[in-house]
């Protein structure tokens, strides 16, 4: 669905992995969205796009005819794996099974089509079974992306400064063993109450949803449920 000048219309789009010839279009789209947002704190630097397209990951592109309107970038090269391994506190033997979900951006006219969600599903299809630890970092200011990532099965596991001092939630999704989260007696923490987020995360809680109300947004926390071999809760 495309929205422009007060009109909504169906357009036929295609989805494919970007190739080297698509690098200029990908960089142009990234710069355009960065300028629209007006805050470089929101998502990663553009240099990771070309690296991913050229082999240190991949980029999924959505095209309206030959025009790139959305893309999702995934990295699994070099320093990104080391940082992700530390963020997720994984053993070194798991390093080659990690993928960093860099970002997903969409042209304004094509927003509202659940691009974040279905490109997540496509990325998981490509990555699994070789890579099953999915790592994502999201600014607390980026409520839209945070909500979509949590709805896609990720859990908040930490909150720390990244990328030269920008605050980021650290999110993890293990495709093999999705955890059971105990949601009764959950705890809601206002998005801007960073000390409380850190306290709960240090106690073994996991952020699994975001809620909005008249007073602002909150992260909903629960604990992992111990599962017996029969699948029943311990």
């Amino acid at each position: 669905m495309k929205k422009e000048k007060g009109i909504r219309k169906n357009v036929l789009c295609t989805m494919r992995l970007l190739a080297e010839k698509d690098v200029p279009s990908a960089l142009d789209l990234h710069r355009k969205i960065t300028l629209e947002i007006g805050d470089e704190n929101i998502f990663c630097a553009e240099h990771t796009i070309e690296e991913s397209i050229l082999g240190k990951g991949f980029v999924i592109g959505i095209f309206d005819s030959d025009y790139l309107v959305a893309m999702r970038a995934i990295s699994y090269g070099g320093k990104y794996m080391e940082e992700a391994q530390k963020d997720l506190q994984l053993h070194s033997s798991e390093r080659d099974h990690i993928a960093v979900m860099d970002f997903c951006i969409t042209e304004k006219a094509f927003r509202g089509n659940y691009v974040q969600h279905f490109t997540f599903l496509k990325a998981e299809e490509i990555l699994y079974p070789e890579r099953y630890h999915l790592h994502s970092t999201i600014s607390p200011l980026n409520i839209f992306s945070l909500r979509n990532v949590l709805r896609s099965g990720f859990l908040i596991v930490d909150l720390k400064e990244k990328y030269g001092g920008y605050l980021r939630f650290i999110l993890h999704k293990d495709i093999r063993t999705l955890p059971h989260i105990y949601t009764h007696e959950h705890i809601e923490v206002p998005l801007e109450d960073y000390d409380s987020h850190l306290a709960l995360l240090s106690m073994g809680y996991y952020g699994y949803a975001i809620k909005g109300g008249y007073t602002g947004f909150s992260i909903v926390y629960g604990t992992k449920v111990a599962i017996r071999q029969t699948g029943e809760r311990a």
Side-chain angles (χ1 to χ4, degrees):
M1 184 76 69
K2 182 179 182 180
K3 296 170 287 185
E4 58 180 9
K5 298 179 181 178
I7 299 172
R8 290 164 54 94
K9 61 181 180 180
N10 288 326
V11 294
L12 181 62
C13 292
T14 57
M15 178 169 64
R16 64 170 172 83
L17 296 183
L18 300 191
E20 185 173 1
K21 66 182 177 64
D22 300 307
V23 169
S25 296
L27 294 178
D28 286 346
L29 178 59
H30 185 278
R31 294 188 193 107
K32 179 179 180 179
I33 302 302
T34 302
L35 288 173
E36 284 181 4
I37 293 173
D39 187 353
E40 64 181 11
N41 170 43
I42 294 297
F43 49 80
C44 81
E46 64 182 35
H47 70 270
T48 62
I49 300 171
E50 187 169 2
E51 292 177 359
S52 293
I53 291 175
L54 297 181
K56 294 183 178 180
F58 58 86
V59 178
I60 300 169
I62 309 294
F63 291 83
D64 174 10
S65 188
D66 294 327
Y67 182 62
L68 182 65
V69 299
M71 62 182 179
R72 171 172 294 288
I74 290 87
S75 298
Y76 42 73
K79 63 181 181 180
Y80 307 113
M81 296 305 93
E82 183 178 345
E83 291 179 8
Q85 180 189 329
K86 291 179 180 178
D87 284 347
L88 302 180
Q89 300 181 32
L90 297 172
H91 189 271
S92 58
S93 62
E94 294 294 287
R95 182 169 174 172
D96 290 338
H97 301 297
I98 300 171
V100 176
M101 316 301 279
D102 281 329
F103 63 87
C104 180
I105 55 177
T106 307
E107 281 266 17
K108 186 175 182 180
F110 290 86
R111 292 171 193 165
N113 288 307
Y114 305 102
V115 171
Q116 282 213 3
H117 182 64
F118 70 72
T119 54
F120 260 133
L121 296 178
K122 184 61 178 178
E124 290 180 6
E125 177 187 317
I126 295 170
L127 292 165
Y128 189 78
E130 182 178 355
R131 297 183 183 274
Y132 42 80
H133 287 296
L134 307 186
H135 167 276
S136 182
T137 64
I138 300 181
S139 167
L141 304 177
N142 194 349
I143 295 169
F144 179 79
S145 290
L146 187 58
R147 175 183 282 123
N148 281 331
V149 172
L150 290 171
R151 285 175 174 172
S152 296
F154 284 74
L155 296 173
I156 295 173
V157 297
D158 203 353
L159 175 65
K160 62 168 64 173
E161 288 187 353
K162 301 275 291 181
Y163 319 122
Y166 293 121
L167 199 61
R168 290 289 189 270
F169 281 116
I170 309 299
L171 297 102
H172 181 207
K173 180 177 181 180
D174 185 341
I175 302 175
R176 303 167 309 163
T177 55
L178 294 175
H180 294 64
I181 300 297
Y182 187 62
T183 59
H184 293 291
E185 302 176 4
H186 65 264
I187 299 175
E188 297 182 23
V189 177
L191 198 55
E192 65 276 9
D193 187 355
Y194 301 136
D195 288 340
S196 294
H197 291 297
L198 289 169
L200 285 174
L201 290 165
S202 70
M203 295 165 59
Y205 281 81
Y206 296 84
Y208 66 87
I210 184 169
K211 292 181 66 175
Y214 294 112
T215 57
F217 291 91
S218 298
I219 301 296
V220 184
Y221 285 89
T223 54
K224 282 188 178 179
V225 178
I227 303 297
R228 302 183 191 277
Q229 291 298 319
T230 60
E232 296 178 354
R233 208 178 104 213

